[in-house]
Amino acid sequence: MATPDRGVCVVACGALAAELVALKAKHHLTDLTIECLPATLHNRPERIADAVAAKVTEVSERFERVLVGYADCGTGGRLDRVCAELGVERIEGAHCYEFFAGADQFAELSADEPGTFYLTDFLALNFDTLVWRGLGLDRHGELLDMMFGNYRRVVLLTQTSAAKVIERARAASQRLGLPLEIVTTGYGGLEPVVLGLTNRAQAEVRQ
């Protein structure tokens, strides 16, 4: 068996890659390695748990501690069962939107308008790839009403408020025929959770 590398590995969703890299740099988490799976798995949530299990098993041979940077993401609890079987911890939450908005604000947004389609910076910038083409809306326009007919608004949970992100979010909302609301979250709840998990894991590694 290979000798473990020093430090902690986070097996994460590709949709969180930019934020995790930024948090690593911001807090000088030199012992942290980030391994991301394709964000396109969100279009096939039934595949997420197996993909995470395979990646965790792979990196466990190289690192002393592995964490999972995923929410449930539509796996219906299967990801939690996989994490329990492998003895790894994941970030709590049903969706990455809850990471950024925080549980309380996300609950308020959901209660205010259940028919909300959420975007993060990553999803706004990659709307064409992951949503428009990923769901086949570019080829089958008739699917638009079927998939989005019950939505009433788009809410952008923005981490950076960058002009390009806002522009892409506006374009996405126009394509969907829905009004856009912008909520600036920064890293939101993701930052303290990542710091808590990694600091605790690093402390255990050093014992």
Side-chain angles (χ1 to χ4, degrees):
M1 181 179 295
T3 302
D5 292 340
R6 180 172 178 262
V8 179
C9 179
V10 175
V11 173
C13 173
L16 299 177
E19 289 73 29
L20 289 171
V21 169
L23 287 172
K24 176 179 177 176
K26 178 180 178 181
H27 295 286
H28 309 290
L29 300 174
T30 56
D31 290 345
L32 177 65
T33 297
I34 301 164
E35 294 274 350
C36 286
L37 294 170
T40 51
L41 281 171
H42 276 286
N43 289 341
R44 299 298 300 270
E46 73 277 7
R47 297 181 180 178
I48 290 175
D50 287 341
V52 169
K55 179 59 74 172
V56 167
T57 300
E58 174 193 329
V59 301
S60 291
E61 298 182 358
R62 299 189 284 116
F63 293 90
E64 293 174 283
R65 180 71 186 272
V66 179
L67 305 170
V68 173
Y70 263 89
D72 178 74
C73 297
T75 70
R78 187 158 177 259
L79 181 57
D80 281 334
R81 293 192 290 274
V82 163
C83 289
E85 290 169 4
L86 294 173
V88 295
E89 191 173 1
R90 79 163 178 88
I91 301 174
E92 293 184 5
H95 302 284
C96 56
Y97 318 123
E98 189 173 341
F99 294 168
F100 293 125
D104 291 343
Q105 185 177 28
F106 183 69
E108 290 176 6
L109 288 167
S110 298
D112 180 56
E113 177 50 79
T116 299
F117 183 73
Y118 295 95
L119 294 173
T120 62
D121 285 8
F122 178 87
L123 290 174
L125 292 172
N126 293 278
F127 179 83
D128 281 352
T129 299
L130 294 177
V131 179
W132 200 254
R133 294 198 299 273
L135 297 178
L137 295 171
D138 60 325
R139 302 182 303 278
H140 303 285
E142 69 277 8
L143 295 176
L144 182 62
D145 187 61
M146 183 187 305
M147 293 181 178
F148 291 92
N150 291 324
Y151 286 97
R152 296 293 176 262
R153 68 176 180 180
V154 174
V155 170
L156 169 66
L157 303 173
T158 177
Q159 289 71 69
T160 64
S161 298
K164 186 175 182 179
V165 170
I166 304 299
E167 178 186 345
R168 294 287 184 84
R170 287 199 177 107
S173 68
Q174 289 170 2
R175 277 190 166 186
L176 297 177
L178 298 170
L180 174 68
E181 295 181 25
I182 299 172
V183 177
T184 301
T185 65
Y187 299 122
L190 182 65
E191 185 165 14
V193 169
V194 168
L195 283 175
L197 289 176
T198 53
N199 288 341
R200 185 164 70 252
Q202 287 169 343
E204 292 174 4
V205 165
R206 294 184 181 114
Q207 287 178 354

